[in-house]
Amino acid sequence: MGSASSSYRVIYLDVDGRIQKVVFSRFCTPRDIKELFCTALGVPRNTNLSLLDSSGAMVSIDPTMPHNTERSLYRVVPTTGGQLADKEELFQNVLTQVAEQFSRAFKINELKTEVTNRLAMLEKRVELEGMKVVEIEKCRNDIKKLRQEMASRNNSNFLEDNKKLTPRRDVPSYPKYHLSKETVEALRLPTFDAWQWEPNEMLSCLEHMYHDLGLVKDFSINPITLKRWLLCIHDNYKNNPFHNFRHCFCVTQMMYSMICLCNLQEKFTQVDILILMTAAVCHDLDHPGFNNTYQINARTELSVRYNDISPLENHHCAVAFQILSQPDCNIFSNFDPEAFKQIRQGTITLILATDMARHGEILDSFKQKVDSFDYADEEHATCLKMVLIKCCDISNEVRPMEVAEPWVDCLLEEYFMQSDREKAEGLPVAPFMDREKVTKPTAQIGFIKFVLIPMFETVMKLFPQIEEAMVQPLRESRDRYEELKQIDDAMNEVQKNKSESLTMGGKKK
């Protein structure tokens, strides 16, 4: 009994002139004891209290407080309003800081939810499908890889990383490359080899194009603003195997060469030329390396934001005008609101036209107009501009073989990255992106025969001069890939016969 009683403490309190006995365990926390005192005093349990002995000295409220008797009562006094207000103010400040942290973390929580859902789906596959040990291990590796990739996404979301949008202040010292006469002439041709150039050199070439076409002079574009804009454009292209800044440069250089080759400055206004060039520069900004099909099937943030309607192309437009919204990068600053509205709408229309899901619709519309084409008809002119940017966007096979072929490797690498992720996430996989089903010849033959050649031949009706420079190289590329496919088929047949012979030989033994 002595042991049990020693585990309890008794404190005597003076409560309005009467003696109040309080019994508590020595294992109670100070908070528990304070709540008992509040109950004895008849005040709310969260009231702050001070404990005073008979001499008026403060006593700490905790299980080790000095023992007292009925003759030496402790007096409990609620904390004054001023002290309470100070503590409440401190508490409110802490709550405000916590709320701000939660606000910053909001999108991270959304991302965590997305990750959790996808991992649950993969783990369910492991559990329910009764996979073999090797398959289970592969799936676990896929889950681990997905965790890493999704973790890296936390820092790669464009809208959460505004640092890239900040224009550089060191532009005046930006190296200016003096382009040789040979380079200036080569830039005007579809045969230009972009693989030979570093990013800063490509930026200088883009700058030259804007000057050479008279856009800087005609629209009073500040040359320093042009440099800052181009640098910001460069910084907002990701290092994907294919959809990167070099691709942006190639598309823009092909647009420049078509403007020169087809004498488009005689057909279009300078505003149209500015729209064509700027749309080409911006057309794949912040491309994540995974196409619209993936965005929609995976229900990514972009597909949700744009309701599954050209999510990537809408995002490219949004990033382009976020950059242009900064005064230091606004090459359109000298346009009045109505002119800017025209440029913005024209640029958006062209970038949205690069969605290959709209290829048939746009080309069919152009075919209906081409035989009676009228440059004065705004609908005709807009349709032509849409087809021109489409041609430039997928024009690699127009270039010489040694320039074009590395781009096929880059594109297939990006396709394979996507199909691997789609398999890991249980999403549909397009056969032309599956590393187990596609080869370089099979990837290119159909695309050249049924997409590129028909489109360029239609444009050729308006501009016969592109046949030698663009259409003929496409036909030669088609023939070369068909020869490669024949060689591949022959080798596969030989390998198949060899395997069958070995199998038959094994059975005879």
Side-chain angles (χ1 to χ4, degrees), residues 86-103:
D86 290 342
K87 291 187 178 181
E88 284 182 348
E89 182 179 359
L90 178 62
F91 184 64
Q92 287 299 325
N93 288 338
V94 172
L95 280 180
T96 300
Q97 293 177 15
V98 170
E100 289 175 355
Q101 293 296 327
F102 271 105
S103 177

Side-chain angles (χ1 to χ4, degrees), residues 399-424:
R399 302 182 189 275
M401 180 190 71
E402 63 274 13
V403 180
E405 191 163 4
W407 280 114
V408 182
D409 295 323
C410 293
L411 184 60
L412 289 178
E413 182 183 348
E414 199 166 292
Y415 280 174
F416 295 159
M417 286 172 57
Q418 175 171 322
S419 62
D420 289 346
R421 175 177 284 190
E422 287 169 332
K423 291 174 185 177

Side-chain angles (χ1 to χ4, degrees), residues 418-437:
Q418 175 171 322
S419 62
D420 289 346
R421 175 177 284 190
E422 287 169 332
K423 291 174 185 177
E425 296 179 3
L427 299 174
V429 178
F432 70 89
M433 301 180 80
D434 191 337
R435 67 172 71 245
E436 297 171 5
K437 297 179 180 178

Side-chain angles (χ1 to χ4, degrees), residues 266-277:
E266 298 176 5
K267 313 287 186 182
F268 288 128
T269 66
Q270 279 292 81
V271 170
D272 288 325
I273 299 299
L274 180 63
I275 290 171
L276 283 167
M277 289 293 293

Side-chain angles (χ1 to χ4, degrees), residues 444-454 478 482:
Q444 291 303 96
I445 291 171
F447 187 67
I448 296 171
K449 286 176 67 174
F450 303 113
V451 177
L452 289 176
I453 291 178
R478 172 201 60 199
E482 286 182 336

Side-chain angles (χ1 to χ4, degrees), residues 54-72:
S54 56
S55 66
M58 293 187 68
V59 180
S60 173
I61 301 177
D62 61 60
T64 63
M65 71 180 76
H67 176 71
N68 71 340
T69 66
E70 294 180 30
R71 295 183 178 181
S72 56

